[in-house]
Amino acid sequence: MDIRTIGWKNNKVRIIDQTKLPQRLVYLDIDKMEDLWQAIKVMQVRGAPALGAAAALGVYLGVRNYSGSDWPGFCRKLNAAAKYIASSRPTAINLFWGIEKVCAAAQENNKQPVVKIKQTMLEEAKKIIRADVCSCRKIGDYGSRLLKPGSSVLTICNAGILATIDYGTALGVIYSACKQGKKIRVFSCETRPLLQGSRLSCWELYKQGVDVTMIADNTAASLMAGGKVDVVIAGADRIAANGDSANKIGTLNLAVLCRYHRIPFYIAAPQSTFDLKLKNGRGIKVEMRDRQEVTKILLKKTVAPEGAAAINPAFDITPHELISAIITDKGIIRMPCVKNIRRIFKGETNAFKRNR
Amino acid sequence: MDIRTIGWKNNKVRIIDQTKLPQRLVYLDIDKMEDLWQAIKVMQVRGAPALGAAAALGVYLGVRNYSGSDWPGFCRKLNAAAKYIASSRPTAINLFWGIEKVCAAAQENNKQPVVKIKQTMLEEAKKIIRADVCSCRKIGDYGSRLLKPGSSVLTICNAGILATIDYGTALGVIYSACKQGKKIRVFSCETRPLLQGSRLSCWELYKQGVDVTMIADNTAASLMAGGKVDVVIAGADRIAANGDSANKIGTLNLAVLCRYHRIPFYIAAPQSTFDLKLKNGRGIKVEMRDRQEVTKILLKKTVAPEGAAAINPAFDITPHELISAIITDKGIIRMPCVKNIRRIFKGETNAFKRNR
């Protein structure tokens, strides 16, 4: 695609500032770990797979100016950087996965000179970026088989180009189907409170020439009752061993609506979004964000009375029994459950042995 | 209550301009039918019961300057005014009911001098206002029996003081329960696109000292899954003979979520909201409003890419099988169906013989 959400350019992390979309396409060049932490926090860069790359690069930024040549000193710096970046946002597992990838690369090379360790870490971060491009294409290819020509797909938040490196998970499925010549109609839930659906998904789908219609989140049931939705596809921020999936607040609403209206509900996510150490969704920490994201539209226009209470969980957990299938880069997991999830990742379980 | 949504003052219609809330409490004095039409259209005054009063007063404004003294001429003027006001918004039945009330009052007095006919019409409009105050209190009293002390109630849009004359239907139930000393916690869905939940319901509940927390509409399922919601109560804009109910877009979402999470889902509305000539909800005309209400927050801040499509139905239809009970001013209709609805309005069916 012609949009690159995050990359390494001129020795800096280049990201699209997603808070400026859809009005302006602005790139930010970041060379300080603290600035990257902030960019993650305020969601200038967001989306689980993109956060994996951002976190890996962030840790690298945190250690690259280390002037010593000793492993123990470097290791302390590394651990501090890893801990710091990990404190930016709690729910998307990919963020922690990205951190661990670069930390493991350093650890494995701890006999090498520090300058070489740093180089290996940067290479590892770049590998995450290349792997994501590849994995999104695979998700797209697998998932597109589930879409018939003429299908009408409803999605929430942004699990597209802007949530990954350059293709998307849920929207990647749509892009792949479109490439195959299938005519797909997309309904994009605006996704309050931060409007990633209208601001980001509509923007990129429209730019890619996909037939997209924006709706208020409240309109989903009415569309389904009217027979206007064939399939719902959402991304995920963390998937437990039994298939319970955390994703943007509102995803559970859609899954329940799908069950009632007998519409397939799919999650699309790479292997790196699975957290097989968690038995089920109850173990997933849901980020609570500032109430002002709800009481002030885009932190500007106040829409609630001064002083009124508001709660603002950023995610909800969809139980696996409401998920028709999970579309991964390793294949489609139907009736998501511990057995079916383990089967598809067989032989790759080492990838999940993480220490957090 | 200390807030009066609509009334007749100094020979003008005085309304609260609801587009200015919650920032400012501004009253508008309207003495031209065309201005009232506009106020209804842009929702400076809204809410089914309030629209009944507004429409009745609107028709009166349209004829009160008729200078002739002949019934045929006056009748033509009256019909034109009725038709004009009826064109403002299509879904809330109360609007048409209010128009017919004043027209019928004129018709019944067509042997009287025109000046007397006008006077009767104004009296009829004032009667609608008084009757609404009374009917909301009854809804509150009946409905409050359904709320236990400590109940947590979720609601959508505004079916409160600002949707009626001064008490509310769904929120009236809450006010009555609170008056009885029951501690009630309210979650108010912000209600995109026009945010009547955050702007209006939060404002009036907060002002009345009710414990209210605002949420993005997307948060409803998550709250229910977490056991935080005991009851959902919504208002209605039109209820068919079998109990199918039109209300603000998003109401159907909540009804489906309630079914899945085994939470009672109630509609609260006066008798004037029933349209017994309609067999079921399929006959209800759903108003489609300007896409810009979705693409621009409060018609100001653009949140979608220029040119992107959007659809903006103002209402959805909740089928009666998802409604646990309808709380009316005549009593509570459990398992809403043709038989149970007819039973509660027995002997008052003449009130429904309307010609539209």
Side-chain angles (χ1 to χ4, degrees):
Chain A
M1 307 303 228
D2 56 339
I3 308 163
R4 197 145 245 251
T5 303
I6 180 164
W8 182 253
K9 200 156 182 174
N10 303 329
N11 283 315
K12 291 177 181 169
V13 182
R14 170 163 286 188
I15 62 165
I16 294 174
D17 180 354
Q18 301 195 25
T19 62
K20 296 283 191 292
L21 287 170
Q23 277 87 354
R24 288 187 298 138
L25 176 59
V26 177
Y27 290 90
L28 291 179
D29 290 320
I30 297 174
D31 62 358
K32 284 199 193 69
M33 176 176 67
E34 291 74 12
D35 294 344
L36 194 63
W37 185 94
Q38 187 64 22
I40 293 172
K41 186 76 183 172
V42 304
M43 297 168 71
Q44 288 172 315
V45 61
R46 29 68 52 201
L51 288 179
L57 289 167
V59 174
Y60 171 72
L61 288 183
V63 298
R64 72 160 165 185
N65 293 329
Y66 180 72
S67 52
S69 60
D70 59 313
W71 167 251
F74 183 80
C75 191
R76 276 194 298 278
K77 183 94 176 162
L78 179 64
N79 286 338
K83 203 174 156 188
Y84 177 71
I85 291 291
S87 71
S88 56
R89 295 190 68 196
T91 306
I93 180 75
N94 308 61
L95 186 137
F96 304 94
W97 171 87
I99 294 170
E100 284 156 27
K101 280 279 200 185
V102 286
C103 288
Q107 187 72 45
E108 282 158 22
N109 291 277
N110 65 9
K111 300 282 185 282
Q112 304 283 335
V114 162
V115 62
K116 171 78 181 150
I117 296 175
K118 291 179 185 173
Q119 204 181 326
T120 312
M121 285 176 65
L122 181 58
E123 282 314 314
E124 185 65 28
K126 288 183 183 170
K127 226 165 82 183
I128 288 174
I129 289 175
R130 286 193 302 274
D132 182 73
V133 172
C134 190
S135 117
C136 283
R137 295 298 193 285
K138 283 186 188 157
I139 289 171
D141 288 347
Y142 284 121
S144 63
R145 298 174 196 171
L146 299 170
L147 300 186
K148 294 188 191 123
S151 283
S152 183
V153 182
L154 185 145
T155 188
I156 182 168
C157 197
N158 175 267
I161 297 171
L162 293 165
T164 58
I165 305 305
D166 76 347
Y167 199 71
T169 53
L171 300 193
V173 171
I174 292 165
Y175 293 135
S176 290
C178 288
K179 268 197 204 162
Q180 292 158 17
K182 293 175 186 167
K183 205 175 140 47
I184 304 293
R185 179 176 193 188
V186 181
F187 290 104
S188 171
C189 289
E190 63 173 357
T191 318
R192 278 284 286 155
L194 293 180
L195 300 166
Q196 295 93 335
S198 48
R199 293 191 305 105
L200 309 180
S201 288
C202 279
W203 179 79
E204 63 165 88
L205 286 162
Y206 188 69
K207 224 171 141 69
Q208 302 298 326
V210 178
D211 175 7
V212 57
T213 300
M214 175 193 165
I215 57 166
D217 304 312
N218 273 337
T219 308
S222 165
L223 280 181
M224 290 184 190
K228 301 271 171 61
V229 177
D230 298 313
V231 170
V232 170
I233 314 179
D237 288 79
R238 192 182 293 224
I239 303 174
N242 70 342
D244 292 355
S245 297
N247 191 47
K248 181 54 57 201
I249 190 81
T251 305
L252 173 59
N253 293 33
L254 296 178
V256 172
L257 292 177
C258 279
R259 172 59 50 94
Y260 181 76
H261 293 101
R262 297 166 194 274
I263 294 169
F265 175 84
Y266 300 123
I267 291 284
Q271 187 175 1
S272 53
T273 300
F274 285 77
D275 186 354
L276 299 188
K277 283 164 63 186
L278 289 184
K279 265 193 191 168
N280 56 50
R282 281 193 296 276
I284 300 175
K285 185 174 176 189
V286 169
E287 177 183 11
M288 297 300 288
R289 293 182 64 88
D290 193 327
R291 65 181 277 284
Q292 295 210 350
E293 288 180 352
V294 182
T295 60
K296 295 186 178 188
I297 299 274
L298 302 178
L299 297 175
K300 281 179 186 134
K301 172 85 182 163
T302 297
V303 291
E306 198 70 34
I311 50 170
N312 182 18
F315 304 94
D316 55 26
I317 316 284
T318 300
H320 64 281
E321 60 265 24
L322 289 176
I323 301 171
S324 312
I326 304 178
I327 306 160
T328 79
D329 44 349
K330 304 296 172 191
I332 294 172
I333 307 171
R334 290 181 188 274
M335 289 187 297
C337 63
V338 175
K339 204 178 70 182
N340 292 345
I341 290 172
R342 289 215 176 267
R343 187 182 295 144
I344 209 146
F345 296 136
K346 213 166 67 183
E348 310 195 41
T349 43
N350 276 337
F352 293 114
K353 282 190 189 147
R354 290 186 288 258
N355 286 311
R356 283 188 323 273
Chain B
M1 308 301 229
D2 56 340
I3 307 163
R4 196 145 246 251
T5 304
I6 181 165
W8 182 253
K9 199 158 180 170
N10 303 330
N11 283 316
K12 290 175 183 173
V13 182
R14 170 162 285 188
I15 62 165
I16 294 174
D17 180 353
Q18 302 195 25
T19 63
K20 297 282 189 293
L21 288 170
Q23 276 87 354
R24 290 188 295 139
L25 176 59
V26 177
Y27 289 90
L28 291 179
D29 290 319
I30 297 175
D31 61 358
K32 284 201 191 68
M33 175 175 70
E34 292 74 12
D35 294 343
L36 193 65
W37 185 95
Q38 187 64 19
I40 294 172
K41 185 78 182 171
V42 303
M43 295 167 71
Q44 289 173 315
V45 60
R46 31 67 53 202
L51 287 179
L57 289 168
V59 173
Y60 171 71
L61 288 183
V63 299
R64 73 159 163 183
N65 292 330
Y66 181 72
S67 53
S69 60
D70 59 314
W71 166 251
F74 183 80
C75 190
R76 275 193 299 278
K77 185 92 176 163
L78 179 66
N79 286 339
K83 203 173 157 189
Y84 178 72
I85 291 292
S87 71
S88 57
R89 294 191 69 197
T91 305
I93 181 77
N94 308 61
L95 187 138
F96 304 95
W97 171 86
I99 293 170
E100 283 156 30
K101 281 278 201 184
V102 285
C103 287
Q107 187 73 47
E108 282 159 21
N109 290 279
N110 66 9
K111 300 279 183 286
Q112 303 283 333
V114 163
V115 63
K116 170 82 181 147
I117 296 175
K118 290 178 186 173
Q119 203 182 326
T120 311
M121 285 176 67
L122 180 58
E123 281 313 315
E124 183 66 27
K126 288 182 183 171
K127 222 163 85 184
I128 289 175
I129 289 177
R130 287 193 301 272
D132 182 72
V133 172
C134 189
S135 116
C136 283
R137 294 298 192 287
K138 283 186 188 157
I139 290 171
D141 288 344
Y142 284 120
S144 63
R145 300 174 194 173
L146 299 169
L147 300 186
K148 293 187 193 123
S151 283
S152 183
V153 182
L154 186 144
T155 188
I156 183 168
C157 196
N158 173 268
I161 297 171
L162 294 165
T164 58
I165 304 305
D166 77 347
Y167 199 71
T169 53
L171 300 194
V173 171
I174 292 164
Y175 293 134
S176 289
C178 289
K179 268 199 208 163
Q180 292 158 17
K182 294 176 186 167
K183 206 175 139 49
I184 304 292
R185 180 177 192 186
V186 181
F187 290 105
S188 171
C189 288
E190 64 173 357
T191 318
R192 278 282 288 152
L194 293 182
L195 301 164
Q196 293 93 335
S198 47
R199 293 192 305 105
L200 309 180
S201 288
C202 279
W203 179 80
E204 63 164 87
L205 286 162
Y206 187 69
K207 223 172 145 64
Q208 302 298 326
V210 179
D211 175 8
V212 58
T213 300
M214 175 192 163
I215 57 165
D217 304 311
N218 274 337
T219 308
S222 166
L223 281 182
M224 290 184 190
K228 301 271 173 59
V229 177
D230 298 313
V231 169
V232 171
I233 314 180
D237 289 79
R238 192 181 292 224
I239 303 174
N242 70 341
D244 291 356
S245 298
N247 191 44
K248 181 56 55 200
I249 191 81
T251 305
L252 174 59
N253 294 32
L254 296 178
V256 172
L257 293 176
C258 279
R259 172 59 50 96
Y260 182 75
H261 293 100
R262 297 168 193 273
I263 293 168
F265 175 85
Y266 300 124
I267 290 284
Q271 185 174 0
S272 53
T273 300
F274 285 76
D275 186 355
L276 299 187
K277 284 165 64 184
L278 289 183
K279 264 193 191 169
N280 57 49
R282 281 194 296 278
I284 300 175
K285 186 174 177 190
V286 169
E287 176 183 12
M288 298 299 290
R289 293 182 64 88
D290 193 327
R291 65 181 277 284
Q292 295 210 352
E293 289 181 352
V294 182
T295 61
K296 295 187 179 189
I297 300 274
L298 301 179
L299 297 175
K300 282 181 183 128
K301 173 81 182 167
T302 297
V303 290
E306 198 69 36
I311 50 170
N312 182 19
F315 304 93
D316 56 25
I317 316 284
T318 300
H320 64 282
E321 59 266 25
L322 289 176
I323 301 171
S324 312
I326 304 178
I327 305 161
T328 78
D329 43 351
K330 304 295 171 191
I332 294 172
I333 307 172
R334 288 180 189 275
M335 288 188 298
C337 64
V338 174
K339 206 178 68 183
N340 292 346
I341 290 172
R342 289 216 177 266
R343 187 182 296 145
I344 208 144
F345 296 135
K346 214 167 67 183
E348 311 197 38
T349 43
N350 277 336
F352 294 114
K353 281 188 189 149
R354 290 188 285 261
N355 286 311
R356 282 191 321 277

